[in-house]
Amino acid sequence: MTRPPIPNQTTQLHVDPSVIDLGVGQPQLSLLPLERLGQAAALRFAAGAHDFLQYGAEQGDGYFRLALAEFLNQGYGFPVHPDQLFITNGASSALALICTLYARPGDTIFVEEPTYFLALRIFADYGLRPVAIPVDEDGLSVTALEAALQHSRPAFLYTIPTYQNPSTNTLSAERRTRLVELSREYDFWVVADEVYHFLQYRGAPPPALGLHAEQDRVLSLGSFSKILAPGLRLGWILTSPERAAAFAHSGLLASGGGLNPFTSSIVRSLLDDGGLQTHIAELKQVYTQRSETLANALRNHLPEANFHLPQGGYFFWVRLPGNLDARAIMPHAEQFKVAYRPGAFFSTQQGLANYLRLSFTYYPAGLIEQGVARLGRCLRSLAP
Amino acid sequence: MTRPPIPNQTTQLHVDPSVIDLGVGQPQLSLLPLERLGQAAALRFAAGAHDFLQYGAEQGDGYFRLALAEFLNQGYGFPVHPDQLFITNGASSALALICTLYARPGDTIFVEEPTYFLALRIFADYGLRPVAIPVDEDGLSVTALEAALQHSRPAFLYTIPTYQNPSTNTLSAERRTRLVELSREYDFWVVADEVYHFLQYRGAPPPALGLHAEQDRVLSLGSFSKILAPGLRLGWILTSPERAAAFAHSGLLASGGGLNPFTSSIVRSLLDDGGLQTHIAELKQVYTQRSETLANALRNHLPEANFHLPQGGYFFWVRLPGNLDARAIMPHAEQFKVAYRPGAFFSTQQGLANYLRLSFTYYPAGLIEQGVARLGRCLRSLAP
């Protein structure tokens, strides 16, 4: 049998170094806190306790949840209790577990339009049927949501309330209240993907939907992927103590124990000594600057494109002029050695063709500027 | 709102120190290689590369898969190629992913009688319907399997071919061949949970079912939980390159990247320098002695009980005399400060009432001896 060559690769992406792929929604390698995590690991091993190598408490290490609750208390500005937290392998793992326990194949779910395209892939694996609810500058349209609820009841609504991927919009305080009311009235779960919440560059968003996690039908997903390191595969679900315990009592957890005892025990040191907060402050500084660079580059090189300066998160959501189809242009962009994610990826309705998503987290300022310049040349070469 | 006290616990189990719970199927804390893993972690961080902190290659770190394939080559005695491996968060995580991608709620699956009771919990979460196939001293009865196949076709068969949990029986070489033939003929998947394979105390078992993973409908599950440390949540699926790639292309992986880039990168050092092999050799020595201790204690304190000395793995499967109901006796045993897992836990048919499962991995020899003595006193106190 002939084998393909072994792709000896550690990371998910292999970006051709000659291409500037502004679509990559990942942190730059050099921004990952190798030294901080190395010290935290050394500290944990030096402590001499073996327990973090054992099958872990199903809901997550109790000491880690205590430290995480304290971090969220401070970061969110409302009380979070350790028994409201269930520790996951990140937001994607949380979504998979929610699809298992809160839905059955064939169920309708509501998603945003646009929405995070890879979440759609997870929902598809579980045989769920997404119905799109539009997003505008104040986030998810609760009017459209209420109208859709007249026709069908979703197993859950999947929303990214803050610095949405890809639209960058944030759900207003009024709409958050209304969304929670509707979930009560129409009896559906709100699955809030809040992984960008702490990446605030220009003012603060309304309180996280996790605020309603205890009293209402809200499952708030958090993750260390965007604020520390994706390779850890570590995150949490913030919900009511009863629901957090129910995740812990599922078969997967009963069999394998907690989802990440080893890594959570290492990260606990960074929660205890404030290392995580320091790292987030550093990230915010870097990302604030890079988002300015990207905005300026767009103004200079794509003056005909329409966008809002994002208040936080990872992305720009750019509307191309006229009837340009961002997906159709991709092979052309490739010749200019630049890439992006076309808007159509984020649509469940074959819409958003003239949008594209750009990120400012993967490249330093110089390459961001250069990438947008290439994109500008690419688009101008297409002009009639 | 009144809160329960925070259970500041790291490990899954909290065993009352006054009780000897011979049912615990976990390694003793002091057997977990803290120092070895600490050195491996230090080495990984000192290497200075950030890539293991990034979103990981979906199928698993290529370097790690290369080292793991080499380890399996040697351990299994047949060729294993890195592209046949998909890296998981352990066997339970693998089962959950298989339930997602290889079955739909309502599907029939075949399980062994007795079988690993917590796997049944996972299958229940996915709405699967287990049909029991009996196990005898040569493992799964392929005759009974063939008869069952006349009535229904399972989405998959879940089997623990070697040192089965709980029966300790090992599937014979002839039956392995027949099982694979049947899977071909009747078109079902064989999900082989091979996590005990390397814990061999008295001779070698037939080749792992992973031998057939490339050519046939076999998904062979492996894990570092039993041979290194459960807290790592690290394991693998050995199957055909096409199926391994298909796991990697599922929604969960596309979104979150590889399931455990951080930990696998640390464990890679132990594969490269032979540390894992040394650790397994040490474990085998300890467990061989402890299993002798448990056998002798049973002969001394429960001469009326029936059991086979296990050839490997974690367990003894003990048949009580007469019509004793092991589950009914549990409260009585509690008074004697001893515990076990009753046979009924491992049955999908409310059978096996007079069996119990004991483990010899969690306690040192002295406590094993003492626990069995307590059990003997408990049973004698019940005698008419």
Side-chain angles (χ1 to χ4, degrees):
Chain A
M1 176 184 165
T2 326
R3 297 280 186 182
I6 301 158
N8 267 354
Q9 193 172 313
T10 294
T11 54
Q12 183 176 28
L13 292 184
H14 175 72
V15 182
D16 175 349
S18 76
V19 173
I20 299 173
D21 184 354
L22 295 171
V24 175
Q26 301 191 355
Q28 189 181 1
L29 272 182
S30 63
L31 293 177
L32 299 170
L34 183 72
E35 205 180 324
R36 269 200 184 101
L37 280 165
Q39 284 163 358
L43 209 64
R44 181 57 57 214
F45 278 103
H50 292 65
D51 52 4
F52 73 116
L53 303 178
Q54 182 62 288
Y55 286 103
E58 288 95 340
Q59 199 170 327
D61 182 337
Y63 298 96
F64 176 68
R65 284 187 292 123
L66 193 62
L68 178 58
E70 180 56 30
F71 168 78
L72 294 176
N73 269 333
Q74 293 180 13
Y76 281 162
F78 55 79
V80 172
H81 194 273
D83 64 9
Q84 289 183 264
L85 295 169
F86 169 78
I87 304 307
T88 70
N89 289 122
S92 307
S93 134
L95 279 181
L97 200 55
I98 288 168
C99 289
T100 305
L101 300 176
Y102 283 77
R104 276 287 174 254
D107 280 0
T108 293
I109 57 166
F110 285 179
V111 300
E112 296 175 318
E113 171 84 2
T115 190
Y116 171 47
F117 68 113
L118 294 174
L120 295 173
R121 292 274 308 276
I122 297 176
F123 301 144
D125 282 346
Y126 284 86
L128 305 181
R129 295 179 183 162
V131 168
I133 313 290
V135 167
D136 63 28
E137 280 171 37
D138 287 326
L140 179 79
S141 163
V142 286
T143 317
L145 171 61
E146 191 167 9
L149 287 165
Q150 310 312 313
H151 301 291
S152 60
R153 297 292 165 87
F156 59 80
L157 162 79
Y158 172 66
T159 176
I160 307 171
T162 304
Y163 315 137
Q164 203 240 15
N165 176 4
S167 76
T168 81
N169 291 322
T170 291
L171 193 64
S172 68
E174 295 71 26
R175 288 194 184 179
R176 286 173 197 243
T177 306
R178 184 68 189 133
L179 170 59
V180 171
E181 282 171 7
L182 287 172
S183 75
R184 222 181 284 151
E185 195 174 334
Y186 291 89
D187 196 31
F188 63 90
W189 298 101
V190 176
V191 177
D193 186 343
E194 314 213 69
V195 301
Y196 302 106
H197 187 94
F198 291 113
L199 297 180
Q200 307 169 2
Y201 315 134
R202 296 168 183 97
L209 271 176
L211 171 64
H212 305 278
E214 173 146 13
Q215 301 295 335
D216 282 288
R217 306 182 51 122
V218 171
L219 301 157
S220 163
L221 315 185
S223 172
F224 289 92
S225 293
K226 302 293 188 280
I227 56 177
L228 197 60
L232 300 168
R233 306 316 306 135
L234 185 64
W236 65 89
I237 298 176
L238 167 61
T239 187
S240 71
E242 296 71 26
R243 290 191 292 268
F247 282 112
H249 291 135
S250 68
L252 173 62
L253 278 293
S255 176
L259 295 177
N260 216 337
F262 179 74
T263 308
S264 59
S265 215
I266 291 172
V267 171
R268 175 154 67 94
S269 306
L270 294 182
L271 289 165
D272 288 342
D273 72 3
L276 177 63
Q277 285 88 335
T278 309
H279 182 66
I280 292 174
E282 288 169 10
L283 282 181
K284 284 166 71 170
Q285 200 170 9
V286 172
Y287 290 159
T288 303
Q289 287 169 358
R290 288 186 184 180
S291 62
E292 273 163 24
T293 301
L294 179 50
N296 288 332
L298 285 169
R299 289 184 199 110
N300 289 338
H301 302 292
L302 266 83
E304 66 280 31
N306 198 294
F307 67 91
H308 293 283
L309 183 65
Q311 304 299 297
Y314 259 40
F315 306 110
F316 276 62
W317 185 234
V318 178
R319 184 156 55 82
L320 296 178
N323 291 320
L324 283 176
D325 181 334
R327 182 144 60 176
I329 297 169
M330 285 173 84
H332 201 71
E334 209 181 317
Q335 292 174 17
F336 284 81
K337 300 290 181 191
V338 64
Y340 50 81
R341 297 293 172 275
F345 279 17
F346 304 88
S347 174
T348 50
Q349 313 182 298
Q350 283 81 46
L352 308 168
N354 62 329
Y355 281 86
L356 45 89
R357 190 193 77 176
L358 305 179
S359 172
F360 48 89
T361 59
Y362 192 70
Y363 290 102
L367 287 173
I368 290 173
E369 157 78 24
Q370 210 176 316
V372 178
R374 290 180 189 179
L375 194 56
R377 282 197 296 278
C378 165
L379 292 181
R380 275 193 302 284
S381 78
L382 293 168
Chain B
M1 175 183 163
T2 327
R3 298 279 187 183
I6 302 157
N8 267 353
Q9 193 172 313
T10 295
T11 55
Q12 184 176 26
L13 292 184
H14 174 72
V15 182
D16 175 350
S18 76
V19 173
I20 300 174
D21 184 354
L22 295 171
V24 175
Q26 301 192 356
Q28 189 181 359
L29 272 181
S30 63
L31 294 175
L32 299 170
L34 184 72
E35 205 179 324
R36 269 202 183 99
L37 279 165
Q39 285 163 358
L43 209 65
R44 182 57 57 215
F45 278 103
H50 291 65
D51 51 6
F52 73 116
L53 303 178
Q54 183 61 290
Y55 287 101
E58 289 95 340
Q59 200 171 327
D61 182 338
Y63 298 96
F64 176 68
R65 284 188 291 123
L66 194 63
L68 178 59
E70 180 56 28
F71 167 79
L72 294 176
N73 269 332
Q74 293 181 12
Y76 282 160
F78 54 78
V80 172
H81 194 274
D83 65 9
Q84 288 184 263
L85 295 169
F86 170 77
I87 304 308
T88 70
N89 288 121
S92 307
S93 134
L95 279 181
L97 200 55
I98 289 167
C99 289
T100 305
L101 301 176
Y102 283 76
R104 276 287 175 255
D107 279 1
T108 293
I109 57 166
F110 285 0
V111 300
E112 297 174 318
E113 170 84 2
T115 190
Y116 170 47
F117 67 111
L118 294 174
L120 294 173
R121 291 273 310 275
I122 298 176
F123 301 144
D125 282 346
Y126 284 87
L128 305 181
R129 296 179 183 162
V131 167
I133 313 292
V135 166
D136 63 26
E137 280 171 35
D138 286 329
L140 180 79
S141 163
V142 287
T143 317
L145 171 62
E146 191 167 9
L149 287 165
Q150 310 311 313
H151 301 291
S152 60
R153 296 294 165 84
F156 58 80
L157 162 78
Y158 172 66
T159 176
I160 307 171
T162 304
Y163 314 138
Q164 202 239 16
N165 177 4
S167 76
T168 80
N169 292 322
T170 291
L171 193 65
S172 67
E174 296 71 26
R175 289 195 184 179
R176 285 174 196 243
T177 306
R178 185 66 190 134
L179 170 59
V180 171
E181 281 170 11
L182 287 172
S183 74
R184 221 181 283 149
E185 198 175 329
Y186 290 90
D187 198 30
F188 62 91
W189 297 101
V190 177
V191 177
D193 185 342
E194 315 215 70
V195 300
Y196 302 106
H197 187 94
F198 292 112
L199 297 179
Q200 308 170 0
Y201 315 135
R202 298 168 180 95
L209 271 175
L211 171 64
H212 306 278
E214 172 145 14
Q215 301 296 334
D216 281 289
R217 305 180 53 119
V218 172
L219 301 157
S220 163
L221 315 186
S223 172
F224 289 93
S225 292
K226 302 294 189 278
I227 57 177
L228 198 60
L232 299 168
R233 308 315 306 134
L234 185 64
W236 64 89
I237 299 174
L238 167 61
T239 188
S240 71
E242 296 71 25
R243 289 192 292 268
F247 282 112
H249 290 135
S250 69
L252 173 62
L253 279 292
S255 175
L259 294 179
N260 217 338
F262 179 74
T263 307
S264 60
S265 214
I266 291 173
V267 171
R268 175 154 68 95
S269 305
L270 295 182
L271 290 165
D272 288 342
D273 71 4
L276 177 63
Q277 285 88 337
T278 310
H279 182 67
I280 292 175
E282 288 169 9
L283 281 182
K284 283 166 70 169
Q285 202 171 8
V286 172
Y287 290 159
T288 302
Q289 288 169 359
R290 289 187 184 180
S291 62
E292 275 162 23
T293 300
L294 180 49
N296 288 330
L298 285 169
R299 289 184 200 111
N300 290 337
H301 302 292
L302 267 82
E304 66 281 28
N306 198 294
F307 68 90
H308 293 282
L309 182 66
Q311 304 300 296
Y314 259 41
F315 306 110
F316 277 62
W317 185 232
V318 178
R319 184 157 55 82
L320 296 179
N323 291 320
L324 283 175
D325 181 333
R327 183 146 56 175
I329 298 170
M330 284 173 85
H332 201 70
E334 208 181 318
Q335 291 174 17
F336 284 81
K337 299 290 181 192
V338 64
Y340 50 80
R341 296 293 172 275
F345 279 16
F346 305 88
S347 173
T348 50
Q349 312 182 298
Q350 283 80 47
L352 309 168
N354 62 329
Y355 281 86
L356 44 89
R357 189 193 77 176
L358 304 179
S359 172
F360 48 88
T361 59
Y362 192 68
Y363 289 103
L367 287 173
I368 290 173
E369 157 76 22
Q370 209 177 316
V372 178
R374 290 181 189 179
L375 195 55
R377 283 197 294 278
C378 165
L379 291 182
R380 275 193 302 284
S381 78
L382 292 170

